[in-house]
Amino acid sequence: MTSTTQAAPKGALDRFFKISERGSSVTQEVRGGLVTFFAMAYIIVLNPLIIGGFSADQAAVDVEGGWLPNHQVAAVTALVGGLMTLAMGLIANVPFGLAAGLGINSFLAFSLVGELTWPEAMGLVVINGIIIVVMGLTGLRRMIFDAVPPALKSAITVGIGLFIAFIGFVDAGFVRSTFAASPPVQLGDGGSITALPTVVFIIALAMMGILLSLRVKGALLIGIVATTVIAIILEAIFKVGPSLGQNPDAWNLNPPALPTAIFSLPDFSLIGQVSFGSFERIGVLATTMFIFTLVFMNFFDAIGSMTGLARQAGLAYPNGQFPGLKRALVVEGVGAVAGGGASASSNTVFIDSAAGIGDGARTGLASVVTGVLFLAAMFLTPLTSVVPLEVAAATLVVVGALMMSQIADIDFTDFRVALPAFLTIVVMPLTYNIANGIGVGFVAWVLINAVSGKAKQISPLLWIVAVLFVVFFARGPIEALLAA
């Protein structure tokens, strides 16, 4: 762990959070917590736009036609994020903020609810969280993390980033279907940008990119707010209106407009809307593979973020571990359970916490500040209906670009690494499914390395996972055969 100049504790608060011991101060921690909140607060706007909706015709509708109301998702997003970030600060004493993970909520909205109801999908998130908790308590989580090749870990992050960015481009109308066999997609309408909402997306993308390049704290939140204001002004002038599935040049979801109210009591109707009926609906095999995918995504996203944040904060030991690691892993697992139970999606550690750490956060007191601000944000949910999807789409593209940075850790000069990593990255967006990319990458890694004489270097755990994915990909014929 990086050495710091220690000062004598100055009270119970200082002793509890080890503020002086870590070379920090109460003022520094409060400032860091504020910065982390403003860096993460966009999730209160973005998560409802991904898994929720303002009406059934534009929401992520499940297999039975059910959908999650936007304002209800916003309320539980802030609630669970606030409570779990508080828990991370008070129990693990680390400056990590938690909220609904972008990769997992996209997986729920674009993959799971095509085959399940929302309560059933959230039931799988709860099961995933319980598994994560058990893995954290037993130390199995660290063992599995060490078994997967680093290149595949990086490729999964990159693939999810590319998938999220592709979703953003499509949602904004920047990339559209040609309704032809080849090419399947095109830029805008006939190769040009014709829609005002898409122009707003471009403005938002440029603004967020510039702010991030300038290292402005809360760049994504500032970009969302500023571009939403621009969108409101443009809509008031040009009156584009909603597309309603008919006008491709109109706003994809809600036209931006000033809300009729700013404050409201949060609606917690989604809490407890959980079902474990997926085993009956799609079968044990498919359900198991979906749970595995959720666990895998939750697992690597969180432990990778924790390791990087701990190093940035100067808390990490040379082996990557840090004080409170086991407690942090358990809290993060409980975040998945709580997120699923409240229909907010799995809550995980946000890499955006790096903003607060960069501003001096070193202890759990910063997380307490961030958590309190999330809870206060529950009363501002009417503001979430103001943000147009095109602005949120720009955030997806930016987050995707940030996740793509890990491609530098992949050795593409070794084809035993290059092909599995490449397949992992491209299959996700091309099939619009995260699980497919993970599975293809694992199977390709085991096959190529085993045949090329590297079988002994493949972890037995990786062999098991690869075999499970082969079964997963062939589940249709297998289920038909079993039924016969």
Side-chain angles (χ1 to χ4, degrees):
M1 183 166 59
T2 302
S3 61
T4 56
T5 302
Q6 298 182 7
K10 300 177 181 178
L13 188 69
D14 193 308
R15 289 192 296 272
F16 181 83
F17 288 107
K18 302 181 180 180
I19 297 173
S20 297
E21 180 180 327
R22 295 184 182 178
S24 186
S25 67
V26 172
T27 301
Q28 188 171 311
E29 294 302 308
V30 172
R31 187 179 67 243
L34 283 167
V35 171
T36 293
F37 172 75
F38 286 117
M40 291 177 57
Y42 67 88
I43 194 63
I44 302 173
V45 175
L46 189 57
N47 193 44
L49 292 174
I50 294 175
I51 68 174
F54 299 99
S55 62
D57 63 342
Q58 48 75 35
V61 179
D62 65 28
V63 69
E64 292 186 354
W67 56 283
L68 307 180
N70 186 285
H71 68 287
Q72 294 179 3
V73 177
V76 294
T77 298
L79 173 66
V80 179
L83 292 177
M84 296 317 305
T85 301
L86 279 171
M88 185 64 79
L90 294 171
I91 296 173
N93 193 26
V94 286
F96 303 164
L98 279 78
L102 284 175
I104 291 179
N105 61 10
S106 298
F107 177 63
L108 295 178
F110 301 107
S111 297
L112 280 192
V113 297
E115 300 186 42
L116 303 172
T117 65
W118 272 111
E120 289 166 352
M122 291 301 173
L124 297 190
V125 174
V126 171
I127 295 173
N128 148 69
I130 293 172
I131 294 172
I132 289 291
V133 171
V134 173
M135 291 170 67
L137 288 172
T138 60
L140 181 61
R141 193 170 185 181
R142 188 82 192 188
M143 292 173 57
I144 297 176
F145 178 78
D146 292 337
V148 178
L152 280 185
K153 298 173 188 174
S154 299
I156 291 165
T157 301
V158 173
I160 293 173
L162 190 59
F163 177 50
I164 289 174
F166 185 55
I167 292 170
F169 282 124
V170 172
D171 285 348
F174 190 86
V175 173
R176 299 186 181 185
S177 173
T178 61
F179 301 102
S182 181
V185 294
Q186 63 181 340
L187 172 68
D189 185 5
S192 64
I193 303 302
T194 60
L196 180 63
T198 305
V199 173
V200 170
F201 159 79
I202 295 171
I203 294 172
L205 183 59
M207 183 179 298
M208 293 175 191
I210 291 170
L211 291 173
L212 283 170
S213 299
L214 296 175
R215 300 183 184 277
V216 175
K217 307 299 183 184
L220 296 180
L221 180 63
I222 293 172
I224 288 175
V225 173
T227 317
T228 297
V229 172
I230 294 173
I232 291 173
I233 294 172
L234 292 175
E235 172 61 18
I237 295 172
F238 296 101
K239 301 187 185 305
V240 176
S243 68
L244 301 177
Q246 299 176 354
N247 181 6
D249 290 336
W251 299 99
N252 201 341
L253 295 182
N254 53 304
L258 291 174
T260 56
I262 295 178
F263 300 97
S264 71
L265 293 176
D267 184 345
F268 298 133
S269 299
L270 292 177
I271 295 178
Q273 298 298 312
V274 176
S275 169
F276 300 100
S278 59
F279 293 93
E280 181 178 355
R281 183 182 297 276
I282 62 175
V284 174
L285 176 61
T287 298
T288 300
M289 293 311 302
F290 279 138
I291 293 172
F292 165 76
T293 301
L294 286 170
V295 170
F296 192 88
M297 292 169 61
N298 222 141
F299 178 92
F300 289 110
D301 180 65
I303 203 165
S305 297
M306 287 184 191
T307 302
L309 292 172
R311 286 174 176 167
Q312 183 185 359
L315 302 176
Y317 301 117
N319 63 1
Q321 298 187 31
F322 57 88
L325 171 61
K326 187 174 183 178
R327 294 191 298 274
L329 290 173
V330 172
V331 170
E332 195 271 338
V334 174
V337 177
S343 294
S345 182
S346 178
N347 273 230
T348 187
V349 173
F350 258 49
I351 196 65
D352 306 74
S353 304
I357 292 173
D359 221 30
R362 296 292 180 270
T363 76
L365 179 58
S367 295
V368 170
V369 172
T370 303
V372 169
L373 291 173
F374 263 110
L375 295 178
M378 292 188 300
F379 299 93
L380 302 174
T381 52
L383 292 177
T384 62
S385 63
V386 178
V387 182
L389 181 62
E390 287 76 8
V391 172
T395 309
L396 288 178
V397 174
V398 170
V399 172
L402 293 173
M403 296 176 74
M404 284 286 294
S405 63
Q406 291 200 29
I407 200 169
D409 299 329
I410 303 172
D411 181 12
F412 281 100
T413 63
D414 184 348
F415 205 68
R416 288 173 298 194
V417 173
L419 184 59
F422 173 76
L423 291 174
T424 299
I425 293 169
V426 301
V427 168
M428 288 186 192
L430 292 181
T431 64
Y432 232 62
N433 189 291
I434 295 171
N436 290 343
I438 295 175
V440 169
F442 271 48
V443 172
W445 182 280
V446 170
L447 177 63
I448 292 175
N449 281 272
V451 173
S452 61
K454 299 289 184 179
K456 293 183 179 180
Q457 297 181 14
I458 303 172
S459 166
L461 287 173
L462 206 61
W463 278 99
I464 295 171
V465 171
V467 170
L468 287 173
F469 265 117
V470 170
V471 175
F472 176 68
F473 291 137
R475 70 185 186 279
I478 291 174
E479 290 173 352
L481 182 63
L482 293 175

